[in-house]
Structure formats: structure tokens, C-alpha cells
């Protein structure tokens, strides 16, 4: 179950565990020929489906407001593809559309831009519920790049991962624009490096499987009840 579901639903006196989706450990394929970088430009990457829930319209609109040297690289397709293409055709100097790429190439591309960005749509009842109960695995994959990850705050992001992201104020386009500029102009700490280290060590099939089976073993042995381990945070703290 998701982290939010575990706190929202009634699991009184019932032990449970939250498992993070393991990232894909494919070997990256070079993306060096895809972008001809300009001196003094800052490159952001969004890879994924061009849909309203993924906030593609918000992302495109805010980049229209950002400084001219802020470039948004886009990989993907989706229901809003025509909208995306129309914006790009009107401002080709701001956007680079690479189409749909092999995932191995995207993994390399993620390591060779300045920032990874995702502004999830969480406004309105449908999008609010979707953001609350579904964790985009892309946000975890982004951490594995070691590149700064810029996102807006959504309820499904595990507390244990929050410290590795750069959060923006997405209340409106003006505040979102200012937040992105502030992040770019700020002195960077080591959160991106630590996020990559955490993901490599713990968000893999081996560790997550072990976490789950250790939990089940303790449940069968009746130890979960005795130790009062009733959440992932408690269990993970106990485990690590």
C-alpha cells in the first residue's frame, strides 16, 4: 500500500508494510549526440507521458516565463502532444523535443542535464486523489541520476525520500517560476548525491524483497505484534 493510504485507511492493530518500487537497473546508452548544448544555458529534463496529471501544461507555461537560457528538454508522448508541439513551434529557442526514446538512452540523458523536473498536477478532486494514492516511480528513478531533482510536493512521496528533492511552490505560475529560479541560483548541497546513494543501496529488488520477507517472517512468528511495528517508517528504522 502507498504511504498515504497506510495513514489514511483504518489499519488499527494490523501490522502493514510499505514497499518502494525498485528502480530499473538497465545499463545506460549514450545520449551525447542528442543535444547540442549552448554555453551558459541551463538544461532541465522532463521524461514521461504528456498528460494533465503529469502537469505538462503547467511545465510548458512556466518555462515560457523563465529566463531565456533556461531550456526544457522533453522526451515522451501522450494525450497533450499536440499542445506540446504547438508551444515548441512558437518558442523553439526554449524547448527541445526528442520524441520517444529508448529507456536506456533516457537514463543516460538524465545524468547529462543540469536538473530533472516534474510538476505533478494535484489540484482538483480527481488529480488530488491520484497524486495522493499513486507514487510516480519516475521520481525515484530521477534520484538515481545524482542530478538535482525539482518537484512539487505531493502526498504520496515517502517522508524518508523528501530530503533528497528540491521542492517548489506550485500555487501559481509566478511562484513556481520564482521557486525554480531560486533553486538554480542557490548554493547546492549534497542532497542529490545522498539521494543517489540511498536509492542504489535500498531501492532495489534485493533489499525491498528482503524487507518484505523479513516483515512476513516476523508477522508469522508473532513478533510484529510484540514489537508494535505498525508502519514502514518504524519498520525501516528498526531494520536499518
Amino acid at each position: 500500500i502507498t504511504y498515504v493510504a497506510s495513514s489514511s485507511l483504518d489499519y488499527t492493530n494490523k501490522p502493514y508494510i510499505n514497499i518502494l518500487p525498485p528502480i530499473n537497473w538497465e545499463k545506460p546508452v549514450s545520449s551525447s549526440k542528442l543535444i547540442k548544448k549552448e554555453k551558459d544555458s541551463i538544461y532541465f529534463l522532463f521524461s514521461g507521458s504528456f498528460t494533465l496529471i503529469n502537469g505538462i501544461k503547467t511545465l510548458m507555461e512556466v518555462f515560457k516565463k523563465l529566463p531565456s537560457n533556461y531550456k526544457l528538454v522533453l522526451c515522451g508522448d501522450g494525450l497533450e502532444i499536440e499542445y506540446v508541439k504547438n508551444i515548441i513551434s512558437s518558442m523553439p529557442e526554449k524547448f527541445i523535443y526528442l520524441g520517444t526514446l529508448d529507456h536506456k538512452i533516457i537514463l543516460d540523458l538524465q545524468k547529462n542535464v543540469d536538473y530533472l523536473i516534474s510538476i505533478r498536477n494535484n489540484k482538483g478532486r480527481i488529480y488530488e486523489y491520484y497524486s495522493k494514492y499513486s507514487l510516480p516511480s519516475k521520481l525515484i528513478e530521477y534520484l538515481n541520476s545524482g542530478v538535482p531533482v525539482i518537484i512539487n510536493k505531493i502526498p504520496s512521496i515517502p517522508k524518508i525520500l523528501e530530503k533528497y528533492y528540491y521542492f517548489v511552490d506550485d500555487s501559481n505560475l509566478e511562484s513556481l517560476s520564482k521557486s525554480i529560479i531560486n533553486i538554480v541560483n542557490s548554493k547546492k548541497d549534497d542532497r542529490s548525491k545522498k539521494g543517489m546513494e540511498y536509492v542504489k543501496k535500498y531501492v532495489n529488488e534485493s533489499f525491498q524483497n528482503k524487507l518484505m520477507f523479513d516483515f512476513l517472517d516476523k508477522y508469522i512468528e508473532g513478533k510484529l505484534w510484540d514489537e508494535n511495528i505498525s508502519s514502514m517508517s518504524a519498520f525501516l528504522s528498526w531494520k536499518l
Side-chain angles (χ1 to χ4, degrees), residues 2 4 7 10 26 44 63-64 70 72 91 118 193 238:
T2 68
V4 174
S7 61
D10 184 10
E26 293 179 306
F44 300 75
F63 266 84
K64 287 163 62 176
Y70 285 42
L72 178 61
M91 298 184 70
S118 176
K193 179 184 176 183
W238 166 80

Side-chain angles (χ1 to χ4, degrees), residues 20-231:
L20 292 171
I23 63 171
N24 194 315
W25 291 97
E26 293 179 306
K27 185 177 180 180
V29 172
S30 176
S31 62
S32 59
K33 296 181 179 180
L34 292 178
I35 304 175
K36 187 177 180 180
K37 292 186 177 180
E38 300 173 0
K39 186 179 179 181
D40 299 325
S41 288
I42 302 168
Y43 291 86
F44 300 75
L45 172 67
F46 171 83
S47 58
S49 298
F50 300 160
T51 58
L52 294 179
I53 184 62
N54 281 342
I56 189 64
K57 286 191 174 183
T58 300
L59 199 56
M60 300 296 287
E61 292 300 323
V62 77
F63 266 84
K64 287 163 62 176
K65 293 178 172 292
L66 288 169
S68 59
N69 64 325
Y70 285 42
K71 313 289 186 181
L72 178 61
V73 181
L74 297 148
C75 302
D77 201 344
L79 296 174
E80 302 299 327
I81 183 63
E82 292 306 316
Y83 166 84
V84 170
K85 287 182 176 180
N86 288 336
I87 297 293
I88 293 174
S89 65
S90 66
M91 298 184 70
E93 72 282 359
K94 289 287 295 180
F95 302 97
I96 302 171
Y97 179 49
L98 300 177
T100 303
L101 300 176
D102 185 286
H103 186 246
K104 295 177 182 179
I105 297 176
I106 292 175
L107 291 177
D108 186 70
L109 192 60
Q110 289 173 356
K111 297 175 182 290
N112 289 288
V113 292
D114 299 295
Y115 296 91
L116 301 171
I117 190 165
S118 176
I119 308 299
R120 194 85 162 171
N121 190 346
N122 59 4
K123 296 177 177 65
R125 187 174 181 182
I126 294 176
Y127 298 128
E128 181 183 346
Y129 271 69
Y130 195 87
S131 294
K132 189 174 183 180
Y133 295 110
S134 67
L135 170 65
S137 58
K138 175 173 60 181
L139 298 187
I140 298 177
E141 179 182 281
Y142 273 3
L143 287 179
N144 188 48
S145 68
V147 169
V149 181
I150 299 174
I151 63 173
N152 60 328
K153 203 160 189 176
I154 57 175
S156 59
I157 296 175
K159 295 290 184 185
I160 202 168
L161 297 180
E162 285 186 353
K163 59 187 175 184
Y164 303 125
Y165 295 106
Y166 290 87
F167 288 103
V168 292
D169 177 358
D170 64 338
S171 53
N172 55 61
L173 286 178
E174 190 65 30
S175 60
L176 179 56
S177 175
K178 288 181 180 179
S179 293
I180 294 173
I181 292 172
N182 287 339
I183 290 171
V184 171
N185 292 336
S186 66
K187 184 178 179 179
K188 300 300 178 294
D189 52 32
D190 61 354
R191 76 182 74 179
S192 300
K193 179 184 176 183
K194 288 186 175 180
M196 180 178 66
E197 292 171 350
Y198 182 90
V199 166
K200 287 184 181 298
K201 188 172 183 179
Y202 298 119
V203 191
N204 56 69
E205 288 186 2
S206 177
F207 183 83
Q208 292 296 312
N209 285 343
K210 187 175 188 304
L211 197 65
M212 180 173 62
F213 285 116
D214 283 354
F215 177 87
L216 292 174
D217 286 342
K218 294 185 77 65
Y219 177 80
I220 293 170
E221 295 168 5
K223 293 182 179 179
L224 285 180
W225 302 94
D226 296 337
E227 298 179 15
N228 194 29
I229 299 173
S230 59
S231 69

